Amino acid sequence: MYVIARRGWEIPEREATPAHLFLNRRAFLGATAGAAALAVAPQLAFAQRVADLPDPTKDLYPVKRNEKYVLDRAITDEAINGAYNNFYEFGSSKTIAKAAQALKLRPWMVKIDGMVEKPIEISIDELIRKMPLEERLYRHRCVEAWAMAIPWSGFAFAELVKFARPLSSAKYVRMETFLDPTVASGQRQTWYPWPYVEGLTMEEATNELAFLATGAYGHPMAKQHGAPLRLAVPWKYGFKSIKSITRFSFTDKQPKSFWEALQASEYGFWANVNPQVPHPRWSQASEEVLGTRERRPTLIYNGYGEFVADLYKGLEGERLWA
Ligand code: MTE
């Protein structure tokens, strides 16, 4: 039972951490002191040095913009965007950018498994260099009713699917974020169902809008945005756009996401943006544009209906919006 998390996204961490859990966390830290002693091992010291090198894909940026995807608002200022994030692995406030710098980006392996012709593990650098990179301007709508606009760099999810060669019986792709409580303080909060998990149907993953971002603002992705690989599905609430992905598993079972596991009455599998269906605790009719005082009406599918509305025909009986 995740009693604490029931209180929702926007609760300050100090309020969401009752004493007994805080004490458990201290016990956990004690237990990891032994692990810290291991850090003197030469191979770990080497891994640390590799992780501190400049991004090995830096030369690929900026990438050419695909002009097909246009915005109805200005791009959110990078400084504003990079200082207001959701990345629960590093805390439940919006100011996790500093803590997220603890994330080690190399070596970074991506596992592709489940219902595929041949499971593989590939380094992020090899994967990025195999993919056709482009820049896309996308809107992002958080379920908390704030919104922004970002120039992502990356590749179409469909390209990863082609590379993965899933079996025709695969119906979903399940994604997983890294799991390392030694760098991600949030992952020491054991009442969350780590690691962060999200999922798409195969039709959603191969829809032209589904994008795997490796960079933003013309350079490799900042850690707080989910480097080195993060999903961008702009017609869904932001929590679907999983950060710092390490694994793609093709499956015939609908994946249960992190937020659904935590609070199924508030966060569902589909999570398509819909102004007419309120979140159980607040309205979704309008949104605040980050960096401005502006409130705008929320658009169905976040304005991307022309690309995705057909995906949901005949599914009206499902809980599409939560
Ligand atoms: N991915 C992971 N692994 N952990 C998270 O906490 N938060 C989600 C999504 N992806 C989250 C995540 C939510 S709620 C939002 S709104 C976006 O990331 C925020 O992305 P941004 O910080 O780059 O704006």
Side-chain angles (χ1 to χ4, degrees):
M1 261 309 249
Y2 302 104
V3 180
I4 306 315
R6 280 243 167 98
R7 295 194 221 149
W9 305 73
E10 59 289 270
I11 303 295
E13 206 160 7
R14 62 181 182 280
E15 283 175 30
T17 311
H20 72 282
L21 291 170
F22 177 70
L23 292 172
N24 281 348
R25 181 169 165 261
R26 287 179 66 132
F28 173 86
L29 288 176
T32 53
L38 276 176
V40 294
Q43 64 273 39
L44 287 185
F46 174 73
Q48 176 71 51
R49 283 199 304 278
V50 169
D52 290 342
L53 288 174
D55 190 302
T57 59
K58 203 163 171 241
D59 59 296
L60 297 172
Y61 301 88
V63 296
K64 193 167 180 306
R65 181 171 298 174
N66 182 337
E67 304 286 352
K68 183 169 180 188
Y69 306 100
V70 291
L71 293 175
D72 60 349
R73 58 195 72 181
I75 291 175
T76 306
D77 189 77
E78 183 174 8
I80 292 173
N81 202 346
Y84 191 87
N85 304 98
N86 273 328
F87 202 170
Y88 275 64
E89 283 80 348
F90 295 99
S92 56
S93 79
K94 298 287 178 279
T95 47
I96 53 72
K98 198 162 164 230
Q101 303 316 306
L103 183 59
K104 301 283 175 260
L105 299 183
R106 299 294 188 283
W108 190 281
M109 299 303 290
V110 177
K111 201 183 261 185
I112 298 175
D113 64 5
M115 299 170 89
V116 288
E117 282 179 26
K118 191 167 176 276
I120 62 158
E121 217 174 337
I122 183 169
S123 82
I124 187 68
D125 298 317
E126 208 186 330
L127 180 66
I128 292 176
R129 286 184 189 276
K130 275 184 194 298
M131 294 291 138
L133 298 184
E134 57 181 271
E135 183 181 72
R136 296 189 185 185
L137 307 183
Y138 273 2
R139 292 190 297 275
H140 175 99
R141 169 60 158 79
C142 180
V143 73
E144 297 164 319
W146 52 268
M148 57 184 185
I150 321 99
W152 294 124
S153 310
F155 53 92
F157 203 132
E159 294 291 335
L160 180 108
V161 172
K162 225 193 290 172
F163 174 72
R165 288 185 287 145
L167 304 180
S168 57
S169 43
K171 293 193 171 64
Y172 302 92
V173 54
R174 176 188 184 276
M175 290 152 278
E176 214 175 89
T177 295
F178 73 89
L179 180 63
D180 185 355
T182 66
V183 299
S185 58
Q187 290 183 336
R188 292 175 213 144
Q189 299 180 330
T190 50
W191 61 92
Y192 287 113
W194 306 113
Y196 199 98
V197 168
E198 260 307 337
L200 296 174
T201 64
M202 290 300 289
E203 290 75 22
E204 289 176 325
T206 52
N207 180 275
E208 67 166 278
L209 268 191
F211 197 63
L212 285 162
T214 58
Y217 296 95
H219 52 73
M221 180 95 67
K223 292 180 180 181
Q224 62 269 33
H225 287 307
L229 186 65
R230 151 261 166 98
L231 180 65
V233 278
W235 72 99
K236 292 181 177 283
Y237 288 120
F239 66 89
K240 293 292 292 187
S241 289
I242 179 173
K243 296 178 168 183
S244 304
I245 303 169
T246 54
R247 186 173 177 191
F248 296 87
S249 305
F250 291 83
T251 168
D252 57 0
K253 288 183 193 61
Q254 190 177 95
K256 182 171 271 187
S257 78
F258 176 85
W259 288 108
E260 194 182 357
L262 206 48
Q263 186 60 311
S265 63
E266 300 193 350
Y267 308 106
F269 175 78
W270 297 99
N272 292 318
V273 175
N274 185 347
Q276 281 156 15
V277 179
H279 181 277
R281 289 181 284 130
W282 57 82
S283 163
Q284 296 291 19
S286 67
E287 63 202 35
E288 185 169 332
V289 182
L290 260 199
T292 71
R293 289 273 157 89
E294 195 191 344
R295 262 204 108 81
R296 285 185 169 235
T298 295
L299 301 173
I300 182 111
Y301 298 115
N302 200 20
Y304 292 101
E306 64 174 298
F307 298 101
V308 296
D310 282 354
L311 290 174
Y312 306 104
K313 291 240 163 78
L315 289 175
E316 289 77 10
E318 300 256 334
R319 277 179 73 231
L320 286 177
W321 319 110

